[in-house]
Amino acid sequence: MDIKRWDYQLEIKENKNLGLNFYRFSVVSKDIARAAAAGQFCMIGIEKVFLRRPLSIYSVDTKSGEVSFLYKIVGKGTDVLSDMKTGEKIKILGPLGNGYPIDIPKGFEPVLVGGGTGIASIHFLAESLAKLKITGSVYYGVRTKKELVCLKEFKDTGWKVFVSTEDGSQGYKGYVTDLLAEKIKNESVIYVCGPTPMMKKVVDTAKEKNISGYVSLEEKMACGVGNCQGCAVKIAGENKMVCKDGPVFAIDSL
């Protein structure tokens, strides 16, 4: 499907530190806000940084046109971005990629699993489903409770939230994948985005229990539209571009 996208230079509305090295920034673009689907991303162009950075869309307000992104300082690009102020200009190409299919059979529960900056994609999905009067369970895994950047927002939209922290500072002590394996029911549809080891474990659990679902892969990208082929992955024996063919893939295709 040919997805409409825009390449804009927009003013930053807000760029806020959420704790530790996590930040959320927002811009206003009614075009992007109306076109965006949960699971899609944008390529962010930062001054003095050569390549754009892919960031999953965190939240959208279609009335005001506000579009938000979550990121973590991990290198030069995100470090420069964290210092940008309200009113400064930033280049945004998007929305890109495909979104999460919302095909939840009657009597089944959506189960959302996220960790790291992958929680951005999961947050937008939870927000989108809640607007359709659909809620379920969110499994939110972090190293320590200070990384729980949007816990209240999930709860405020009616989702049941199961928290795991590796250091035991809040909720279940251990990995979110172990918590999920203990509690997941067969009548579920799983949606997952986060660190690769976490996603692999969730995929294994889903296949073991014969549960369908979707995974949003994270790969380094240079162009975001499939031209550079730098984000190639093997899916069902074929080379696929995470940016163009994904980032969302069905679990049973992996």
Side-chain angles (χ1 to χ4, degrees):
M1 181 175 63
D2 183 26
I3 298 174
K4 181 75 173 178
R5 58 177 178 258
W6 290 266
D7 193 358
Y8 285 148
Q9 185 165 328
L10 302 167
E11 289 187 359
I12 291 178
K13 181 179 179 181
E14 182 185 50
N15 193 15
K16 182 179 180 181
N17 178 233
L18 301 180
L20 296 182
N21 289 322
F22 285 90
Y23 286 75
R24 183 183 66 231
F25 84 90
S26 61
V27 295
V28 175
S29 169
K30 289 190 175 181
D31 287 338
I32 295 176
R34 289 168 181 163
Q40 291 187 292
F41 65 97
C42 292
M43 296 298 291
I44 310 300
I46 307 164
E47 189 178 356
K48 299 178 183 178
V49 179
F50 179 62
L51 294 175
R52 298 196 192 204
R53 298 297 193 271
L55 292 181
S56 293
I57 299 171
Y58 173 82
S59 181
V60 160
D61 185 328
T62 53
K63 290 184 179 180
S64 68
E66 186 170 351
V67 183
S68 300
F69 302 87
L70 178 74
Y71 66 99
K72 182 180 181 181
I73 298 177
V74 293
K76 179 181 178 181
T78 46
D79 187 41
V80 172
L81 178 57
S82 70
D83 286 332
M84 295 184 71
K85 309 299 182 186
T86 298
E88 290 190 69
K89 296 289 183 68
I90 195 165
K91 292 181 179 179
I92 297 185
L93 172 65
L96 301 169
N98 62 356
Y100 292 106
I102 305 176
D103 49 356
I104 302 167
K106 186 176 180 180
F108 279 62
E109 178 190 30
V111 174
L112 283 49
V113 188
T117 53
I119 203 67
S121 172
I122 294 300
H123 177 270
F124 188 15
L125 177 59
E127 178 183 85
S128 301
L129 287 171
K131 290 177 181 177
L132 298 174
K133 309 299 183 185
I134 300 171
T135 57
S137 298
V138 174
Y139 288 80
Y140 192 174
V142 294
R143 291 184 299 110
T144 181
K145 67 179 182 180
K146 292 182 179 180
E147 294 182 342
L148 294 167
V149 295
C150 53
L151 180 59
K152 183 177 183 298
E153 294 171 43
F154 283 123
K155 292 181 177 179
D156 286 348
T157 50
W159 289 82
K160 295 177 292 184
V161 185
F162 298 94
V163 169
S164 73
T165 54
E166 293 177 27
D167 65 0
S169 53
Q170 186 165 334
Y172 176 89
K173 182 177 181 179
Y175 295 115
V176 70
T177 49
D178 294 331
L179 178 61
L180 175 74
E182 286 181 14
K183 292 183 174 292
I184 189 72
K185 298 178 181 179
N186 284 35
E187 295 78 19
S188 303
V189 179
I190 293 177
Y191 299 86
V192 56
C193 187
T196 298
M198 184 199 81
M199 291 195 290
K200 286 182 177 178
K201 188 67 183 293
V202 172
V203 168
D204 289 343
T205 297
K207 290 183 175 181
E208 178 185 327
K209 297 179 180 292
N210 197 30
I211 298 173
S212 65
Y214 303 93
V215 56
S216 180
L217 301 183
E218 294 185 335
E219 290 288 335
K220 292 182 179 180
M221 300 177 189
C223 70
V225 295
N227 292 334
C228 71
Q229 300 189 12
C231 60
V233 293
K234 192 76 75 175
I235 303 290
E238 297 182 13
N239 284 327
K240 299 287 186 180
M241 300 298 120
V242 170
C243 67
K244 185 177 180 181
D245 301 311
V248 177
F249 296 93
I251 284 176
D252 61 12
S253 71
L254 301 176

